[in-house]
Amino acid sequence: MNFKKSVAIAAAVGALSALAIPAMAETTIYGSARVATAWDTTVLPKSAANAVNGSSQTFFNIDNQATSRLGVKSVNGNLTAVAELGIGDAGVYNLNGGSLGGFNQTGWVNGSGGLTLVYTRHIYGEYKFDSGKLLIGQTWTPYTVVSKQALNSDEGNCYFGALYDGRFPQIKYTLNNGIYVDFIRQATAETAAPAVGTANGQTTAGANLAVNPANLKAAYLPKLAIGYDGKSGAYTYGGGILLQTQKDANGKAVNSELLYAHGTATMGAFDALVNLGLGNNISALAIKDGGSFLAVKASDGASNNPVTTFTALVGVGYTVSPTVKVQAGIGGGTSSTSSDSAAHPVLTYAGYINAPITLAKNVYVTPEYNYIDQLNQASGSTAAGSIRNHIYGAQWRVDF
């Protein structure tokens, strides 16, 4: 082992020491540097109620993606432990109406180039018992299935069919037959409508517009997911139900439910994935797919009208050669409610096509094009029509 490698390993261990990962029999230190070079063109709807109807704006940016990472994985008998830090760019373009570049904002080019964010992506331990395995810590939730979308910090169709709510602290027990019970930290209470986006200085309605938000403030229990994951040859499949109960500002219960199902398949050079969801008040679960919004006030002013959301994500891939692959996918969802007190988003979706290319061992570039219909509102709303984005560029990646 040469001196430079020793210094690098020592620095990595020091950076992760605060996460208290013990020295184990088999320990792997890994990392990934990911930089995006991309343009983002935002197109306002022609029916938008402002002075720049149908106009567009384009930004270029090069940024350290927030999915750049440094991690440690340790295995000692039946115990596996993982700690992974995200080391990405925290900056976004700031405009009058909000931040351009964040998840669910009008624009998608993320990062201002120079502001580094260090945060915890994963920190968990998993122990295998005779009957199953127990996971304790922060990691993916079992209903999230991300696509191969690379730009905007490996967006992966998050908020557009992936059923992404974050990497939450959780306690999960999975039986050997694939059935699991997962207690997950409840969603952060929402106290106001989400921020709006902006284009050319004109404020427009952002995705996930909250209509008369219920101002959720209290949870009785953590989110509860009960489901099953299995595998048969080249196929994986699973599904379950997610539940949560909170109180609104009036002390009324807001119940949230989500039925989800997912699967993947590999057939020679082809592969595919699908993720489906049908839910009630899923915004209270911190799931934003389908332009979901908080339960709206009923005419009596005290109770809430539930919001129903359907989501879907499909993706396909074809391996052209050992160094080139072509991938494409589309995902999104739609929300509806019996309330007509105000207009609300009814459809959001995002599609992508990319081609990961291996330049050398552990060195990759992924050219990609994205089309996003971020908001398709009901008539009579602030900006009836679609706010669309075209994102085109490439992700550059080095793994180590």
Side-chain angles (χ1 to χ4, degrees), residues 8-58:
I9 292 176
V13 173
L16 292 166
S17 61
L19 299 177
I21 295 298
M24 295 187 178
E26 300 177 21
T27 300
T28 302
I29 298 174
Y30 62 92
S32 182
R34 306 184 185 198
V35 168
T37 53
W39 290 264
D40 180 353
T41 298
T42 301
V43 182
L44 283 174
K46 292 182 179 181
S47 55
N50 54 54
V52 289
N53 296 341
S55 66
S56 65
Q57 61 177 1
T58 299

Side-chain angles (χ1 to χ4, degrees), residues 26-344:
E26 300 177 21
T27 300
T28 302
I29 298 174
Y30 62 92
S32 182
R34 306 184 185 198
V35 168
T37 53
W39 290 264
D40 180 353
T41 298
T42 301
V43 182
L44 283 174
K46 292 182 179 181
S47 55
N50 54 54
V52 289
N53 296 341
S55 66
S56 65
Q57 61 177 1
T58 299
F59 286 96
F60 170 81
N61 197 32
I62 177 170
D63 72 285
N64 174 26
Q65 294 198 296
T67 46
S68 295
R69 64 195 66 175
L70 179 65
V72 172
K73 181 177 181 180
S74 298
V75 179
N76 185 9
N78 291 340
L79 178 63
T80 298
V82 174
E84 182 178 293
L85 299 177
I87 308 176
D89 195 333
V92 294
Y93 291 112
N94 293 313
L95 300 176
N96 292 337
S99 297
L100 180 64
F103 283 146
N104 262 1
Q105 293 294 335
T106 307
W108 271 50
V109 178
N110 192 23
S112 61
L115 299 177
T116 298
L117 170 70
V118 178
Y119 65 101
T120 303
R121 289 175 54 83
H122 302 274
I123 174 67
Y124 66 88
E126 186 175 69
Y127 191 88
K128 294 182 180 179
F129 294 92
D130 291 339
S131 60
K133 55 187 178 180
L134 174 66
L135 182 149
I136 299 173
Q138 175 175 303
T139 189
W140 295 105
T141 49
Y143 36 86
T144 298
V145 175
V146 296
S147 73
K148 301 298 183 179
Q149 191 178 33
L151 291 181
N152 200 48
S153 292
D154 293 287
E155 177 72 10
N157 278 89
C158 291
Y159 304 136
F160 295 95
L163 294 176
Y164 172 79
D165 57 353
R167 290 172 294 272
F168 278 136
Q170 58 193 277
I171 301 172
K172 179 183 180 184
Y173 193 80
T174 305
L175 297 172
N176 290 331
N177 61 11
I179 296 174
Y180 60 81
V181 177
D182 196 358
F183 296 94
I184 306 164
R185 191 189 74 188
Q186 69 275 14
T188 302
E190 298 195 42
T191 58
V196 298
T198 186
N200 287 346
Q202 303 296 319
T203 299
T204 57
N208 305 329
L209 179 66
V211 180
N212 296 328
N215 194 23
L216 302 177
K217 64 178 183 178
Y220 302 118
L221 295 167
K223 292 191 287 190
L224 172 63
I226 302 173
Y228 167 82
D229 280 320
K231 183 176 182 179
S232 177
Y235 303 92
T236 67
Y237 42 85
I241 184 171
L242 176 66
L243 305 168
Q244 180 181 270
T245 296
Q246 290 183 316
K247 290 190 298 185
D248 67 12
N250 299 313
K252 300 292 183 179
V254 176
N255 299 315
S256 302
E257 306 88 20
L258 173 68
L259 293 172
Y260 58 92
H262 47 249
T264 65
T266 302
M267 300 157 284
F270 289 93
D271 60 77
L273 67 86
V274 63
N275 194 39
L276 302 173
L278 177 62
N280 180 58
N281 298 330
I282 67 172
S283 182
L285 295 166
I287 296 174
K288 304 300 184 183
D289 301 65
S292 57
F293 45 92
L294 293 175
V296 297
K297 298 294 184 185
S299 58
D300 60 17
S303 58
N304 297 304
N305 287 315
V307 177
T308 300
T309 302
F310 172 75
T311 72
L313 168 63
V314 293
V316 295
Y318 178 72
T319 301
V320 179
S321 72
T323 59
V324 179
K325 187 175 183 179
V326 178
Q327 303 173 141
I330 187 170
T334 181
S335 293
S336 62
T337 180
S338 60
S339 172
D340 59 358
S341 60
H344 51 265

